[in-house]
Amino acid sequence: MVVAHDAKVVREFSKQAEGFGDPRLNTHLTVHLGRLVRFMEPELDLEDVVLESCAGTALVSRSIAHRVRHVSALDLTPAMLAQ
């Protein structure tokens, strides 16, 4: 059952990956990104190692990468990470 669910998730999000990767199309995801980063900023340290799971196109990871030592972004859908 889990394999079928994972396959469905990958299939559906693969169809949407291009839209998630285009900032003109994903404003519903990016509108609050700056506020989220500002909220996290006091807790981030240049020695931190960060893991973002269910990262999609890794918007959060890319936004904080310059503030930490290392960030890894994981997502079940390869097409999302490719964006």
Side-chain angles (χ1 to χ4, degrees), residues 33-48 50 63-64 66-68:
L33 184 60
R35 193 169 82 184
L36 173 63
V37 171
R38 285 189 302 278
F39 175 78
M40 293 187 306
E41 193 86 34
E43 300 300 322
L44 297 177
D45 186 276
L46 289 174
E47 291 303 313
D48 286 347
V50 177
S63 295
I64 65 168
H66 68 284
R67 291 283 294 122
V68 297

Side-chain angles (χ1 to χ4, degrees), residues 1-17:
M1 187 65 85
V2 171
V3 174
H5 176 265
D6 289 357
K8 184 175 183 176
V9 168
V10 170
R11 184 178 64 246
E12 293 305 316
F13 278 99
S14 291
K15 295 175 192 174
Q16 302 174 47

Side-chain angles (χ1 to χ4, degrees), residues 16-73:
Q16 302 174 47
E18 189 173 335
F20 275 76
D22 186 338
R24 296 168 299 158
L25 300 176
N26 72 356
T27 55
H28 64 285
L29 298 173
T30 59
V31 68
H32 298 292
L33 184 60
R35 193 169 82 184
L36 173 63
V37 171
R38 285 189 302 278
F39 175 78
M40 293 187 306
E41 193 86 34
E43 300 300 322
L44 297 177
D45 186 276
L46 289 174
E47 291 303 313
D48 286 347
V49 174
V50 177
L51 172 65
E52 181 184 6
S53 63
C54 304
T57 58
L59 288 171
V60 174
S61 292
R62 290 182 284 138
S63 295
I64 65 168
H66 68 284
R67 291 283 294 122
V68 297
R69 180 166 51 101
H70 179 83
V71 63
S72 293

